[in-house]
Amino acid sequence: MPPQAGPQPEDPASDRTARTGFWLVGARGGVATTAAVGWSALTRGLIGTTGLVTELPALAGAGLKDWDQFVLGGCELRPGRLRDSAAEAGIPPALIEACAADLDAIDARIAPGVVHNSGPAIDELADEQADGGLARRFPTPRAAVDAIRADLDRFREQQRLERVVVVVTASTEPPTDEPSLPPTWDELNATLTSTDCPLRAGSLYAIAAIESGAAFVNFTPSLGASCAAIDDLAKRSGVCHAGRDGKTGETLLKTVLAPMLASRNLEVMSWVGHNILGNADGRVLSSPEHKSSKLGCKDAALQSLLGYSPQSLVSIEYVPSLGERKTAWNHVHFRGFMGVEMTLQLTWQGHDSALAAPLVLDLARLVDASAGRGESGALGALACFFKSPCGAPLAGHSEQFAALLAHYA
Amino acid sequence: MPPQAGPQPEDPASDRTARTGFWLVGARGGVATTAAVGWSALTRGLIGTTGLVTELPALAGAGLKDWDQFVLGGCELRPGRLRDSAAEAGIPPALIEACAADLDAIDARIAPGVVHNSGPAIDELADEQADGGLARRFPTPRAAVDAIRADLDRFREQQRLERVVVVVTASTEPPTDEPSLPPTWDELNATLTSTDCPLRAGSLYAIAAIESGAAFVNFTPSLGASCAAIDDLAKRSGVCHAGRDGKTGETLLKTVLAPMLASRNLEVMSWVGHNILGNADGRVLSSPEHKSSKLGCKDAALQSLLGYSPQSLVSIEYVPSLGERKTAWNHVHFRGFMGVEMTLQLTWQGHDSALAAPLVLDLARLVDASAGRGESGALGALACFFKSPCGAPLAGHSEQFAALLAHYA
Amino acid sequence: MPPQAGPQPEDPASDRTARTGFWLVGARGGVATTAAVGWSALTRGLIGTTGLVTELPALAGAGLKDWDQFVLGGCELRPGRLRDSAAEAGIPPALIEACAADLDAIDARIAPGVVHNSGPAIDELADEQADGGLARRFPTPRAAVDAIRADLDRFREQQRLERVVVVVTASTEPPTDEPSLPPTWDELNATLTSTDCPLRAGSLYAIAAIESGAAFVNFTPSLGASCAAIDDLAKRSGVCHAGRDGKTGETLLKTVLAPMLASRNLEVMSWVGHNILGNADGRVLSSPEHKSSKLGCKDAALQSLLGYSPQSLVSIEYVPSLGERKTAWNHVHFRGFMGVEMTLQLTWQGHDSALAAPLVLDLARLVDASAGRGESGALGALACFFKSPCGAPLAGHSEQFAALLAHYA
Amino acid sequence: MPPQAGPQPEDPASDRTARTGFWLVGARGGVATTAAVGWSALTRGLIGTTGLVTELPALAGAGLKDWDQFVLGGCELRPGRLRDSAAEAGIPPALIEACAADLDAIDARIAPGVVHNSGPAIDELADEQADGGLARRFPTPRAAVDAIRADLDRFREQQRLERVVVVVTASTEPPTDEPSLPPTWDELNATLTSTDCPLRAGSLYAIAAIESGAAFVNFTPSLGASCAAIDDLAKRSGVCHAGRDGKTGETLLKTVLAPMLASRNLEVMSWVGHNILGNADGRVLSSPEHKSSKLGCKDAALQSLLGYSPQSLVSIEYVPSLGERKTAWNHVHFRGFMGVEMTLQLTWQGHDSALAAPLVLDLARLVDASAGRGESGALGALACFFKSPCGAPLAGHSEQFAALLAHYA
């Protein structure tokens, strides 16, 4: 172990082996902002560890880095300051004030984001900023990848980081035409110089991360690294990645309730979910093209857990009065012995960012540990964090959580 | 093994190795009645297997007896006919009619029940029958045990049964003073001739069953065989038993939702449950003395699954208009990252008998298999069926279900 | 007044002053079928009067005709028998059997329905019948009106009726282009011979009824008689009419809850409703074009009752497993003193036909009384029955109900 | 109108005819504290008028005094400061700070409270304060009345008030033995010197207020002035009073929903309410003796609105984690046409103080206007504010609200 070490990020004598950088894509969105404030508050002892999976006693021996061994940076389309996005996210003013110096330091490490084939709602978000905000656009996917890679290299160099983890928390993109993607990296790579390449920005971040040797986490329903060709690149490069679509609320409930109903041989006839939420995520999802990406993921979970496909409807509505509060109503109609019909209704009143942000921190911390162990390709052991896990079959939450402990604890 | 065998119950040439008797205590209550109609309908192919755990594909190779290898009998305090209790339980008239011959045959095998220290509500149930109904009362526990044992021996002899399984589905008794019970069978046995013995009828059925070599299942919240001394008897006698308190609705939900919240390191601050139901079970539970037995069981589950004790309240109200329909409202107040408060509400609209009856049939079938394998003592592998499992620590439903499959599949 | 009278419908000596005919458009739909069985069961004393507004003690002195003074007939697109549609609607077999003779008699009085500009979902319903079912199509609106009028005249003649009331319970049509309609009957009438006339079948039934002197009730969200020109015709003809869109469930709740919130000066920020239902009405409403007609009506109610427009969303999904059961979840987000945010959630589990059918019978009975008193034009006193009442401003349910009693009691 | 006037309470030249004093009994409880902060914030223009009935446009011409024409004072058992009780009640720190000068001035006018026959939970509240807190106890009811009267006279004199209104917002007392109370004031008055008199402190405040010429409002479920003898005193004294039990949440819903169900002739079979709340009110209500006072009021409302008595259960549980948040779950089981069973469930998530405090301000303002008009006895026109209104029959909320407008607008 290197003897020389130091606590200050910008100190040239600091031990670069000791620190890992988190590069947050969508760094001033509600989830990333809450993660940033939360990270700062954790390192300063201002909040407890409630909501953090990696702080469970069962993972105490997992050898994860301490919170103060991480450095945060990222990129964003909209100008502004984390202090202000924290206020918008409803974080108490006193906490923002206490973390302001850290937030300002992170702001200084936020680069302009890349928009590429990102869909109408994200285009609109970027365009409504003065002068197009911070959005950068490139003629080909390869040009975008190279620009992102340069950002990551600069972050690693300037902060003298041992490792970098890129986490995408940006708005949901429309679905990518997956069947048209080739199965190997060599074939996909060849298309990156063409304007016909169907990849969207979320996948270009994945490629750039992997090419630069950074682990990658896709917290959104967008494609990200969830295709054979990018996984191929990751395996060849000895880089690990995890995704897809953070499991924060309604699906978390589904992945424990559906196995329960299955274990009793009860027959689900219909499962209807209606979600209302008022944050920027809700606004993007209210765009029909983006919505379909979100809804697609949810149906597969139910089918996989029950072994058959009951009628399943999930609708999402943007209700600005709710802000970060997300309310999900679920109505499950099922049949039991002798055909008797019964119902289960749930109302989940969650806080979107407060549920998602600690998972983002947990994921970065766990993926960093995997990177430290030299793991590569999709990390199936992290399936419990995702609605559409890569590298593992869909399974009940309880099995997924047991797999997490088995891998890391 | 006896060589003579044959398919007809009363046929002296029948193969006694092939058939097992189910002795239902509380045989004309809602749960046992529904189990009886359901068993008959299954053997006649009139209903499907929805709701039966033992019919899951995962247990197809468990070597369980077929439904037509069972013979039903039991005991009951109230006179009457299963046809009538089936109508009261809301079973469709056409199905009752189709099963009437079987129900009449079971009626002919129903003996008078034993009331002993059973609490005011059960006393009242018995007393409101003309001439005290079918209730038998005895001066000492030992006398009651011997009478029950004689019933079981007669059932085994007359029906030429290979094995017998006793299942208690009677109304909930008040709590037994457990700390006053001695830890060994020899000591407990010595008290059975005294009128000071605190055991109630449910435990006397357990002792009688085990002494006669019959496996025992306690589907109620009453003590049954859940004390060290009776388990000692079972182990010495090479008899197996399972219990306590069938997990049909609200607790089933708790045992998947509490582990889910724990797996996310979310802090439950309060968990309030309010149950309304309109059947005879609801009537008995509305008696304060009996209610405390029911409520005690539920609190322990939550503590065990979360690792700490949030405020927990469970109330039960008798609402006759609901009949067998049981509605449970749960309000879970929890805290996440940065102390953000959230809630989860559930409304479970179940049908009490339709949920419980298939579990009674499953348990008898599984316990019979365990008896066939020579297992003795408390069957912890059956924990997923119970709110207060004997022979296994309290655990999440998913772990319990995995243990079931590991043991039997 | 004609001198000859008598109790039997087909008896030429019967007293035509004593009897009123109900002509149900959509006569074998769930609502009309339930109304028909209910009417028969009422006249035979097989059911009580629960659910019937006109049987409230407060209306005992209103001088309404007795149930056996009505004769039912109507028209329908689909072939079949009321016995079968009653079974589909989930009416108990024993009740259908007891009313079968009446149902067969009504079947004999059901004429083919008219499809005209009725929208894709109704076209499809008609076309999927063998040979186009009973649907009749006409080249111009005027031809359709004349054909309907001939049906009504025949019904009146053959049954020797004093009065006829036409009630539309058919599937919801897409919205009509109301601004394009002229304000007077003379102008509208002139367009009926043109294929450009935007009126749909529901309005043609209204015109035919009024021209033939029959009172008209529009129980659906379709336009019906709710435009100035048709009201003009009704007033000139001395005919009364009522409508629009029977208020059976979710809106009934809104029209008591919104005034309550307004009376406390609480500020509604958003009101979200999600409806799931499984009957034919649900199927038609799941068609986007038809859905917009339904949703339009609901928004206006809220604005009118609160005096401002909170965000309001109402979604409707077709969930076949629910059959006639309709579940509506409402989430009301409001603000009180000092800006404190609160919520009210409702789950209404109703039975669509059981709620609507008695209102159809009530309306026909009350409109018949109005016709007997010589009232003409839109009957605002019936506003409590409708989501979009004609002839009265939108108001709280309580005020509407008081107006009903003031007019009829 | 007197020409000389002045804004400062203690200014000896101020116009005593222009100002009214509010004397809050339980002045540092959650409701009174919120009323005090709210009153201050209103006069300073810091909050809007949402939640205040008297600020509805319909009451704009009612000639009510402006908020700055009121002076607040009161009495309390517990020492402390309103700033602190405001923080406990969850009022935002910035708002407390902005109102701090007013709160300190009110604190200076808060006298020690009177405990007399107030039940075990209130005794305990008083006793747990250091040195018995501020509680004063007297040997006879008459001595207590005279002491309270002296407080009120002093308040009137020192603040040079035109009128005084006493509002009881203290914790709920156990039920008073009403049948034992004599019907006339002369008889009741004679018992006040006896220690056998069953009156509790809440009624002694009523008597003291009326004897001193102050109008009286009982916002609690305690007896207060709701008996014939005290009403007799009020009428003879030319003083008006209003009460009993502020209608803030669950009952408010009942008084619109029950009339709605009745207007459709739907038959309610059972109505179950389960309330959970975490403030001091919840703590006192969790005491069985106090709870019965609360529950009694609710049942009568339902019977009166429906015209019959369905099974009705209301339970209240103290759940500290909820603080001022009060959640009420209601399950209404009803029957419609042809006996079809349906349900309505509600979850009301209110904030107890934010709902109650504006009603306290409204009541004081309206009762002040009635006093100014010379009205005496129970003010039935204020029934819409109460669960158990004095001076008016129980009625639907809508009728009650119409009566309010008819009387004051």
Side-chain angles (χ1 to χ4, degrees):
Chain A
M1 293 296 149
Q4 74 280 35
Q8 294 313 309
E10 270 79 12
D11 179 354
S14 75
D15 174 7
R16 69 186 295 161
T17 67
R19 298 193 307 144
T20 290
F22 285 178
W23 186 261
L24 291 157
V25 179
R28 291 194 198 95
V31 173
T33 297
T34 307
V37 178
W39 166 80
S40 167
L42 280 168
T43 60
R44 293 169 179 276
L46 302 174
I47 59 170
T49 57
T50 298
L52 286 159
V53 175
T54 52
E55 294 287 342
L56 286 171
L59 286 169
L64 307 176
K65 282 195 179 172
D66 287 337
W67 294 116
D68 60 6
Q69 291 180 279
F70 293 94
V71 179
L72 273 63
C75 60
E76 174 58 63
L77 303 179
R78 292 166 298 181
R81 297 190 309 167
L82 279 167
R83 295 169 179 236
D84 301 321
S85 55
E88 266 173 54
I91 295 173
L95 190 60
I96 298 174
E97 194 52 42
C99 300
D102 287 344
L103 299 180
D104 293 349
I106 299 170
D107 269 329
R109 296 182 211 114
I110 294 181
V114 166
V115 172
H116 188 90
N117 202 6
S118 301
I122 293 172
D123 273 341
E124 198 183 298
L125 260 186
D127 294 345
E128 72 190 16
Q129 311 299 330
D131 306 319
L134 303 174
R136 286 183 294 167
R137 290 181 167 90
F138 296 90
T140 64
R142 172 46 68 194
V145 165
D146 291 344
I148 297 166
R149 211 173 139 172
D151 289 342
L152 298 176
D153 290 342
R154 193 176 313 114
F155 180 49
R156 186 186 286 109
E157 246 352 89
Q158 288 185 346
Q159 303 298 323
R160 299 173 181 274
L161 303 166
E162 179 190 19
R163 288 190 291 268
V164 170
V165 180
V166 173
V167 184
V168 177
T169 64
S171 295
T172 300
E173 298 168 340
T176 303
D177 177 21
E178 295 189 48
S180 78
L181 298 174
T184 68
W185 169 242
D186 288 340
E187 290 166 287
L188 183 65
N189 194 14
T191 71
L192 294 185
T193 51
S194 154
T195 55
D196 290 346
C197 171
L199 291 181
R200 302 183 187 277
S203 294
L204 305 185
Y205 279 107
I207 293 169
I210 298 167
E211 287 187 346
S212 88
F216 178 78
V217 177
N218 175 18
F219 201 74
T220 75
S222 308
L223 181 67
S226 299
C227 61
I230 301 181
D231 189 49
D232 180 26
L233 169 65
K235 282 179 183 143
R236 290 198 211 177
S237 312
V239 171
C240 57
H241 66 94
R244 177 185 187 186
D245 201 3
K247 185 167 78 170
T248 54
E250 193 186 26
T251 303
L252 183 59
L253 287 165
K254 268 190 188 170
T255 55
V256 297
L257 292 169
M260 178 204 85
L261 293 164
S263 81
R264 287 299 200 226
N265 207 358
L266 297 165
E267 180 198 348
V268 176
M269 295 182 288
S270 60
W271 194 309
V272 174
H274 192 66
N275 295 264
I276 52 179
L277 77 169
N279 59 11
D281 192 32
R283 188 180 148 198
V284 168
L285 286 171
S286 71
S287 152
E289 218 179 320
H290 294 250
K291 195 184 277 192
S292 63
S293 187
K294 182 83 175 176
L295 301 186
C297 297
K298 296 207 171 182
D299 291 329
L302 204 52
Q303 167 155 21
S304 155
L305 297 169
L306 293 172
Y308 56 91
S309 274
Q311 188 190 6
S312 170
L313 289 167
V314 178
S315 48
I316 299 178
E317 308 265 24
Y318 176 50
V319 178
S321 76
L322 295 173
E324 284 290 323
R325 296 260 151 206
K326 181 176 189 171
T327 296
W329 175 71
N330 270 240
H331 181 280
V332 187
H333 187 200
F334 62 98
R335 195 155 26 208
F337 196 50
M338 291 185 180
V340 174
E341 298 186 16
M342 301 180 255
T343 62
L344 170 61
Q345 290 176 64
L346 297 107
T347 307
W348 168 266
Q349 295 175 305
H351 188 281
D352 224 30
S353 298
L355 289 163
L359 303 185
V360 163
L361 294 174
D362 284 327
L363 279 165
R365 204 179 183 195
L366 290 162
V367 166
D368 173 65
S370 282
R373 300 176 182 192
E375 295 171 4
S376 67
L379 296 168
L382 296 172
C384 71
F385 289 97
F386 296 107
K387 294 197 189 92
S388 304
C390 307
L394 272 167
H397 181 72
S398 181
E399 288 81 348
Q400 292 174 334
F401 184 62
L404 177 80
L405 298 186
H407 190 84
Y408 289 100
Chain B
M1 295 294 152
Q4 74 279 35
Q8 294 313 311
E10 270 78 13
D11 179 356
S14 76
D15 173 7
R16 73 187 292 160
T17 66
R19 297 195 310 143
T20 290
F22 285 178
W23 186 261
L24 291 156
V25 179
R28 291 194 199 95
V31 173
T33 297
T34 307
V37 177
W39 167 81
S40 167
L42 280 169
T43 60
R44 293 170 180 276
L46 302 173
I47 60 170
T49 57
T50 298
L52 286 159
V53 175
T54 52
E55 295 287 344
L56 285 171
L59 286 169
L64 307 175
K65 282 195 179 172
D66 288 337
W67 294 114
D68 60 6
Q69 290 179 279
F70 293 94
V71 179
L72 272 63
C75 61
E76 174 59 63
L77 302 179
R78 291 165 299 180
R81 298 189 307 168
L82 278 167
R83 295 167 179 236
D84 300 323
S85 54
E88 266 173 53
I91 295 171
L95 190 60
I96 299 174
E97 193 53 42
C99 300
D102 287 343
L103 299 180
D104 292 350
I106 299 169
D107 268 330
R109 296 180 212 116
I110 294 181
V114 166
V115 173
H116 187 90
N117 202 9
S118 301
I122 294 172
D123 272 341
E124 199 182 295
L125 259 187
D127 293 346
E128 72 190 16
Q129 311 298 331
D131 306 318
L134 304 173
R136 286 181 295 169
R137 290 181 166 90
F138 297 90
T140 65
R142 172 46 68 195
V145 165
D146 291 345
I148 296 165
R149 213 174 136 171
D151 289 343
L152 297 175
D153 291 341
R154 195 177 313 114
F155 180 48
R156 185 185 286 106
E157 248 350 273
Q158 288 185 346
Q159 302 298 323
R160 302 176 180 271
L161 302 166
E162 180 190 18
R163 289 189 291 270
V164 170
V165 180
V166 173
V167 184
V168 177
T169 64
S171 294
T172 300
E173 298 168 341
T176 303
D177 177 20
E178 294 188 48
S180 79
L181 298 175
T184 67
W185 168 243
D186 288 342
E187 291 166 286
L188 184 65
N189 194 15
T191 71
L192 294 185
T193 52
S194 154
T195 55
D196 289 346
C197 172
L199 292 180
R200 303 184 186 276
S203 295
L204 306 185
Y205 279 107
I207 294 169
I210 298 167
E211 287 187 346
S212 89
F216 177 78
V217 177
N218 176 18
F219 201 75
T220 76
S222 307
L223 182 66
S226 299
C227 61
I230 301 182
D231 188 49
D232 179 26
L233 169 64
K235 282 180 182 141
R236 290 199 210 176
S237 312
V239 170
C240 58
H241 66 93
R244 174 187 188 185
D245 202 2
K247 185 166 77 170
T248 54
E250 194 186 24
T251 303
L252 183 59
L253 287 166
K254 268 189 189 169
T255 54
V256 298
L257 292 170
M260 178 203 85
L261 294 164
S263 81
R264 287 296 200 226
N265 207 359
L266 298 165
E267 180 198 348
V268 177
M269 294 183 288
S270 60
W271 194 307
V272 174
H274 192 65
N275 295 264
I276 52 178
L277 76 170
N279 60 11
D281 192 33
R283 188 180 149 198
V284 168
L285 286 170
S286 72
S287 154
E289 220 180 317
H290 294 251
K291 196 184 278 193
S292 63
S293 187
K294 181 81 175 178
L295 300 186
C297 297
K298 297 207 171 182
D299 291 331
L302 205 52
Q303 167 155 23
S304 153
L305 296 169
L306 294 172
Y308 56 91
S309 274
Q311 187 190 6
S312 169
L313 289 166
V314 179
S315 49
I316 300 179
E317 308 266 25
Y318 176 50
V319 177
S321 76
L322 295 174
E324 285 288 326
R325 295 260 152 205
K326 180 177 191 169
T327 296
W329 176 70
N330 271 241
H331 180 281
V332 187
H333 187 198
F334 63 97
R335 196 155 26 207
F337 195 51
M338 291 184 179
V340 174
E341 299 186 14
M342 301 178 253
T343 61
L344 169 62
Q345 290 176 66
L346 297 107
T347 307
W348 169 265
Q349 295 175 305
H351 188 281
D352 225 28
S353 300
L355 288 164
L359 302 185
V360 164
L361 294 174
D362 284 327
L363 280 164
R365 203 180 184 195
L366 290 162
V367 166
D368 172 65
S370 282
R373 299 176 184 192
E375 296 171 2
S376 67
L379 295 169
L382 296 173
C384 71
F385 289 97
F386 297 107
K387 294 196 189 91
S388 305
C390 305
L394 271 167
H397 181 72
S398 181
E399 288 81 350
Q400 292 174 332
F401 183 63
L404 176 81
L405 298 186
H407 190 83
Y408 290 100
Chain C
M1 295 294 152
Q4 73 278 37
Q8 294 313 310
E10 270 78 12
D11 179 353
S14 76
D15 175 4
R16 71 188 293 161
T17 68
R19 298 193 309 143
T20 290
F22 284 178
W23 185 262
L24 292 156
V25 179
R28 291 193 198 96
V31 173
T33 297
T34 308
V37 178
W39 166 81
S40 167
L42 280 168
T43 61
R44 293 168 181 277
L46 302 174
I47 60 171
T49 57
T50 298
L52 286 159
V53 174
T54 53
E55 295 287 341
L56 286 170
L59 286 168
L64 307 176
K65 283 195 179 172
D66 288 337
W67 295 114
D68 60 7
Q69 292 180 277
F70 293 94
V71 179
L72 272 62
C75 60
E76 174 59 63
L77 303 179
R78 292 166 298 181
R81 296 190 309 168
L82 279 167
R83 296 168 179 237
D84 300 322
S85 55
E88 267 173 52
I91 296 172
L95 190 60
I96 298 174
E97 193 51 42
C99 300
D102 287 343
L103 299 180
D104 292 349
I106 298 169
D107 270 330
R109 296 181 212 115
I110 294 182
V114 166
V115 172
H116 187 90
N117 201 8
S118 300
I122 295 172
D123 273 341
E124 199 183 297
L125 260 186
D127 293 345
E128 72 190 16
Q129 311 299 330
D131 305 320
L134 302 175
R136 286 181 294 167
R137 289 180 168 92
F138 296 91
T140 65
R142 172 46 67 194
V145 165
D146 291 345
I148 297 166
R149 211 174 139 173
D151 289 343
L152 297 176
D153 290 342
R154 193 175 314 113
F155 181 48
R156 186 185 287 108
E157 245 354 89
Q158 288 184 347
Q159 303 298 325
R160 300 177 179 271
L161 303 167
E162 179 191 18
R163 288 189 292 270
V164 170
V165 180
V166 173
V167 184
V168 177
T169 64
S171 295
T172 299
E173 298 168 340
T176 303
D177 177 18
E178 294 189 48
S180 79
L181 297 175
T184 67
W185 168 243
D186 289 341
E187 291 166 287
L188 184 65
N189 194 13
T191 71
L192 295 185
T193 50
S194 153
T195 54
D196 290 346
C197 172
L199 292 180
R200 302 183 187 278
S203 295
L204 305 185
Y205 279 108
I207 293 170
I210 297 168
E211 287 187 345
S212 89
F216 177 78
V217 177
N218 175 19
F219 202 74
T220 75
S222 308
L223 181 66
S226 299
C227 61
I230 301 181
D231 188 49
D232 179 26
L233 169 64
K235 282 180 182 142
R236 289 199 211 175
S237 312
V239 170
C240 57
H241 66 95
R244 171 186 188 186
D245 202 2
K247 185 166 78 171
T248 54
E250 194 186 25
T251 302
L252 183 60
L253 286 165
K254 268 190 188 169
T255 55
V256 298
L257 292 170
M260 178 204 85
L261 293 164
S263 81
R264 287 298 200 225
N265 207 0
L266 297 165
E267 181 198 348
V268 176
M269 294 183 288
S270 61
W271 194 308
V272 175
H274 193 66
N275 295 264
I276 51 178
L277 76 169
N279 59 12
D281 192 33
R283 186 179 152 200
V284 168
L285 286 171
S286 71
S287 153
E289 220 181 318
H290 294 250
K291 195 183 277 194
S292 64
S293 188
K294 183 81 176 179
L295 300 186
C297 297
K298 297 206 172 183
D299 291 330
L302 205 52
Q303 167 156 21
S304 154
L305 297 169
L306 292 172
Y308 56 91
S309 274
Q311 188 190 6
S312 170
L313 290 166
V314 179
S315 48
I316 299 179
E317 307 266 25
Y318 176 50
V319 178
S321 75
L322 295 173
E324 285 289 324
R325 295 261 151 206
K326 179 176 190 170
T327 296
W329 176 69
N330 270 239
H331 179 280
V332 187
H333 187 200
F334 62 98
R335 195 156 25 208
F337 196 51
M338 291 184 180
V340 174
E341 299 186 15
M342 301 179 254
T343 61
L344 170 62
Q345 290 176 65
L346 297 107
T347 308
W348 168 266
Q349 295 175 304
H351 188 280
D352 224 29
S353 298
L355 288 164
L359 302 186
V360 163
L361 294 174
D362 284 327
L363 279 165
R365 205 179 182 195
L366 289 162
V367 165
D368 173 64
S370 282
R373 298 175 183 193
E375 295 171 4
S376 66
L379 296 170
L382 296 172
C384 72
F385 290 97
F386 297 108
K387 294 196 189 92
S388 304
C390 305
L394 272 167
H397 182 72
S398 182
E399 288 80 351
Q400 292 174 332
F401 183 62
L404 177 80
L405 298 186
H407 190 83
Y408 289 99
Chain D
M1 293 294 153
Q4 75 278 39
Q8 294 313 311
E10 270 78 14
D11 179 355
S14 74
D15 174 8
R16 71 186 294 160
T17 66
R19 298 195 307 145
T20 291
F22 286 179
W23 187 260
L24 291 156
V25 179
R28 290 194 200 95
V31 173
T33 297
T34 307
V37 178
W39 166 82
S40 167
L42 279 169
T43 61
R44 293 170 181 275
L46 302 173
I47 59 170
T49 58
T50 298
L52 286 159
V53 175
T54 53
E55 295 287 343
L56 285 171
L59 286 168
L64 307 175
K65 281 195 180 172
D66 287 337
W67 294 114
D68 60 7
Q69 291 179 280
F70 294 94
V71 179
L72 272 64
C75 62
E76 174 59 62
L77 302 179
R78 292 166 298 181
R81 297 189 308 167
L82 279 167
R83 295 167 180 237
D84 300 322
S85 54
E88 267 174 52
I91 295 172
L95 190 59
I96 299 174
E97 193 52 42
C99 299
D102 287 343
L103 300 180
D104 292 350
I106 299 170
D107 269 330
R109 297 180 211 117
I110 294 181
V114 167
V115 172
H116 187 89
N117 202 9
S118 302
I122 294 172
D123 272 343
E124 199 181 296
L125 260 186
D127 293 347
E128 72 190 15
Q129 310 299 330
D131 307 317
L134 303 173
R136 286 181 295 169
R137 288 181 167 90
F138 297 90
T140 65
R142 172 46 68 194
V145 165
D146 291 345
I148 296 165
R149 212 173 137 172
D151 290 342
L152 297 176
D153 291 342
R154 194 176 312 114
F155 181 49
R156 186 185 286 109
E157 244 355 86
Q158 289 185 344
Q159 303 298 323
R160 302 176 179 270
L161 303 167
E162 178 190 20
R163 291 189 289 270
V164 170
V165 180
V166 174
V167 184
V168 178
T169 64
S171 295
T172 300
E173 299 168 339
T176 303
D177 177 18
E178 294 188 48
S180 79
L181 297 175
T184 68
W185 169 243
D186 288 342
E187 291 166 287
L188 184 65
N189 194 15
T191 71
L192 294 184
T193 52
S194 154
T195 56
D196 290 346
C197 172
L199 292 180
R200 302 184 187 277
S203 295
L204 305 185
Y205 278 108
I207 293 169
I210 298 168
E211 287 187 346
S212 88
F216 177 78
V217 177
N218 176 18
F219 201 75
T220 76
S222 308
L223 181 66
S226 299
C227 61
I230 301 182
D231 188 48
D232 180 26
L233 169 64
K235 282 180 182 142
R236 290 199 210 176
S237 312
V239 171
C240 58
H241 66 94
R244 176 186 187 185
D245 202 3
K247 184 166 79 171
T248 53
E250 194 186 25
T251 303
L252 183 59
L253 287 166
K254 268 190 188 169
T255 55
V256 297
L257 292 170
M260 178 203 84
L261 293 164
S263 81
R264 288 296 201 228
N265 208 358
L266 298 165
E267 181 198 348
V268 176
M269 293 182 290
S270 60
W271 194 308
V272 174
H274 192 65
N275 295 263
I276 53 179
L277 75 171
N279 60 11
D281 191 34
R283 188 181 149 197
V284 168
L285 286 171
S286 73
S287 154
E289 219 180 317
H290 293 251
K291 195 184 277 194
S292 63
S293 187
K294 182 82 176 179
L295 301 186
C297 297
K298 297 207 172 182
D299 292 330
L302 205 52
Q303 167 156 20
S304 154
L305 297 169
L306 293 172
Y308 57 91
S309 275
Q311 187 189 6
S312 170
L313 290 166
V314 179
S315 48
I316 300 179
E317 308 265 25
Y318 177 49
V319 177
S321 76
L322 295 174
E324 285 288 325
R325 296 261 151 206
K326 180 176 191 171
T327 296
W329 176 69
N330 270 240
H331 181 280
V332 187
H333 188 199
F334 62 98
R335 193 154 29 207
F337 196 51
M338 291 184 180
V340 174
E341 298 186 15
M342 301 179 254
T343 62
L344 170 61
Q345 290 177 66
L346 296 107
T347 307
W348 169 264
Q349 295 175 306
H351 188 280
D352 225 28
S353 299
L355 289 164
L359 302 185
V360 164
L361 295 174
D362 284 327
L363 280 165
R365 203 180 185 196
L366 290 163
V367 166
D368 173 65
S370 282
R373 298 178 184 190
E375 294 172 4
S376 68
L379 296 169
L382 296 172
C384 71
F385 289 97
F386 296 108
K387 293 196 190 93
S388 305
C390 305
L394 272 167
H397 181 71
S398 181
E399 288 81 348
Q400 292 174 332
F401 183 62
L404 176 81
L405 298 186
H407 190 83
Y408 289 100

